[in-house]
Structures are given as C-alpha cells and as structure tokens.
Amino acid sequence: MRAALSSMLLVMLFLPVAGCDDEIKDTPYAYACDEPRCHPETGAGAPVRALDLVVVIDTSLCMADEQVILQGNFPGLVRALKDSAGGLPDLHLGVITPDLGTAPYNIPGCETPGGDGGRFLKGVHNSCMNPAGQNYIVDVAPRGCTVTRSTDGASCTAHDCTAAHCEAAAFTGADGVATEPDGLLLSTDENGCPRCRNYYTDTLESVLMCMASAGTSGCGMEQPLEALRQALLVVPEGNERFLRPAAGLGIMLVMSEDDCSTADTELFNPEGDINSELGSLASFRCTEFGIICDQPWERVMETGTATYTNCRPREAGDPDNLLFPISGYVDDLREMKPSGLLSVAVIGSDTDGTLVVSLDNNQNPKLAPGCGVPTEGADPTLRLSAFVRPLTSHEEDLDWAISSICATDFSAPLSGWGDRLASFTSARCTGLPLSGCPDPGFAFGAARLTTLPD
C-alpha cells in the first residue's frame, strides 16, 4: 500500500496543475477551488501565452527626463518577453496617465473634468500613428492555422496562416466572445513567425517609445491607483477587449509623486489656508489626509522642518482618511488574478517609513524629496510602495519591483519585470494533488494528506 501511494504521488509530481478554471465540473468531486494548491505561486501552474501589460506614466512637469529614460530602456523589456518560452507572448500593452482631474473643482492644471479617465493613450493627444484601431498594442499569434517551428523552437520554418486567421472570428471561443479586435494585420516577426498586429512599419520597441512620451502637462493631483482601477474595471470607451480572462497581468507605475486617489473630492476644494480644516490647496493635503505617522501632522513648524516616523497609509475607517485605502486596490487585483499570474512594480521614491516635511515659498508644509536634489527631487511614494509589496509573491523581486525614479537608468526594473512576466509562459509542475482528484491518502487507505473530499 505504501509503495502504491508513493507511486501515485510521484506521478502527480510531474503533472501540470489544474487551475481553478480547470476544475472537473458536475462530478461528485466538484467544489470551490480556493486553496493554495490552485494558485501558481505555490510553484505550480499551467503556462500562459497571453500577457496584458499596463504602464502608468506620471505626466507632471518634472517628468520630461524620466520619460526619455523610460523610452530608452523599453528594448530591455521587449527582449525579455521575446526570450520567453515560445517567443513573444500574445501581447496587449497600454499606457495610461494618473490624471483624473479634480472635479467638481476646477484648479489650475486640472481643468478637464475626469482628466484622462484611465483611458489608454498613444502619446500626447494620441499623436502616435501606431497602434491603429486601438489605443493599446495588440501583438498576438494567429489562430486556426499551422506553424512549423525549428528544432530549438526559436524560429518558424513554415506556416499556412492567412489574413483570415487574424480576424476577430478566429479568436472567438464557444462563448461567442472574441478576445481580439477586428482589423489586425498578418505580419512576420524577425524569427519568421506569423503575428497579428495593430501596428504597421514600426517595431514594437519604437511604438512603445512613442506611447511613453505622455507629456508633462497633467494634473498635479495624481491618482495612479484609481486611474488603474478605472482602466481595468470601469473600462472606459476605448479600453474594451484589453483585459483577457486567461492572460497574465503586469502593471508598472512610473511616478515622481505619491498616489492621491481621492475618495472625498472636498480634498480639492481650493478654499482654505494653513489654519483651515484642510489647509492650503497643495499636494500636502494628499499626505496629511492619506498617510498617518507616529507623530501628529503639524502645519506650522517653528524650525522649518519636521521628521515623522513609522508613516503608513491611512486605512479604511480612519476618520481623517480622504483617500481610497490601499487595501481596496490590492484586493481588486487579487480578485482579478492569482498572484502567480500578476506582476506589479513601481519606479518611484521608496521610504523606510520616515518622512521629512519642510516649508514651501508660501510657508506651507511640503514633503522633502525622497531622492534627487533637495529642491527638485521626487516625493516619497509611500502609498505606491505599500501597494506593490503585498502583491509581490517572490521576495527577491523587490530588488527591482520598487526602484528609484531618480536613477539615470531604468533597465533593471524593466528587465526584471520582463523576466518575471516571461516566467508566466514556462510550464510548472505540482507536487500537490490535482483539482478534482480525491485525497490520495484516503484513496489508498492511508492517512489523509489534504482537505480534498473523499
């Protein structure tokens, strides 16, 4: 009996795991699958060939140089994806800004109600020629045709794909829903492999570079996390069909200021001075009413500076919190994707929880930069770091998942992000029982090994 049990477990060790969507339905063993064994972060999971990537780019006045650096480092991201198992995955990639305006109030620089609204944009005022048809990149393998690859799988030696295999109908499943838009063009990549794309003549790298030129005239009350939620969950016009149920999801935030995703728009009320309830209208309101420290906030500082320790985002239920709690955004993403198919990163200004506040030219409090020169550096992005950390399954990923916007080179975070995304396409194996199988110990008359049904 013990030998039989060992043999069964050995066979299971080399079988791909059945994800929650792959459970055996309508059987005596069907049950809700919400255990660690169902999630790829346990070291097991079927590979995916689709990735949905979102880059959130700060459009503050000080971001011109950083956008240029980002553009120059995109080839490293693309190379990591192209080097993944099977070559470039089926890719959707969109760029959004953190500009959601300040309605119902109309403050300088934030005059457009709703700002960019989480819509995908292809450069300033959608000025990039590519992609065409959509404002996000589509670059996927055709469906319904035969492709012959070389022995090492690195190139394609023949295929019978035609334009029809790039039409929306080719990507329509049994549910009648197409995962790709119409109008894709059949192309051939540098390895001779057929691709369906919505960009023409340009390379993927050059299209990304144009899209990353997002401009520097955005609203100074940045709301990157709420913009991300609107892009993916509210789905404004133009964002349709971007998010695919079976795809891995990657998010990169490139920010020189912290998140000010506002739950109470009174935060934007231009009335008030340093002694009023909300203080003077400035980005420090986002700090005071979105972050709590061991020391109470003081707006009038006799010495001109003050140091605050153990600072962290205000939570739900805090009566002084006027921003959306970070936990809500974390929960949203966890509900959308298992952590093994989710990679989130921020290029910002990390902090150990210590914040220094000084005075601006009008004697109002302002955060001292977390990096860069004292007067022009980037603000500490404490809320954004608090968003990324709980969504990072591999501790070693924090070496690149939280990196500095003040660096002169973003290749490490972009390549690290690309490598992690590429890992989603690699087959993984499980040492745990498959979804839908009975407990192997019980089945062989031995002690139970799991909480699976009999």
Side-chain angles (χ1 to χ4, degrees), residues 122-263:
K122 48 181 186 178
V124 181
H125 306 305
N126 288 324
S127 56
C128 301
M129 288 185 61
N130 285 311
Q134 293 74 38
N135 287 347
Y136 59 87
I137 291 171
V138 178
D139 190 335
V140 301
R143 295 294 189 273
C145 51
T146 302
V147 179
T148 304
R149 288 186 170 270
S150 59
T151 304
D152 60 6
S155 61
C156 298
T157 57
H159 70 82
D160 59 4
C161 304
T162 67
H165 298 109
C166 287
E167 294 176 359
F171 298 93
T172 301
D175 57 1
V177 177
T179 59
E180 306 299 341
D182 253 327
L184 299 183
L185 178 71
L186 180 64
S187 306
T188 303
D189 67 15
E190 63 267 33
N191 297 315
C193 298
R195 303 290 294 184
C196 301
R197 295 169 170 166
N198 65 349
Y199 59 95
Y200 319 107
T201 67
D202 289 338
T203 64
L204 177 58
E205 291 87 344
S206 61
V207 175
L208 275 173
M209 290 175 66
C210 187
M211 293 171 66
S213 183
T216 57
S217 59
C219 178
M221 294 294 197
E222 294 90 343
Q223 304 183 64
L225 298 184
E226 182 59 20
L228 181 66
R229 188 190 71 84
Q230 293 195 21
L232 299 180
L233 296 179
V234 176
V235 190
E237 184 178 359
N239 289 21
E240 300 90 353
R241 291 187 181 175
F242 175 82
L243 202 62
R244 295 166 293 180
L249 176 62
I251 296 165
M252 173 69 75
L253 302 117
V254 187
M255 297 292 303
S256 66
E257 294 188 55
D258 205 3
D259 175 67
C260 188
S261 294
T262 304

Side-chain angles (χ1 to χ4, degrees), residues 285-308:
R285 284 187 182 178
C286 303
T287 304
E288 182 176 352
F289 296 101
I291 293 173
I292 188 172
C293 308
D294 284 349
Q295 302 80 14
W297 296 111
E298 296 181 9
R299 297 182 193 151
V300 179
M301 296 171 285
E302 295 182 1
T303 61
T305 62
T307 299
Y308 298 84

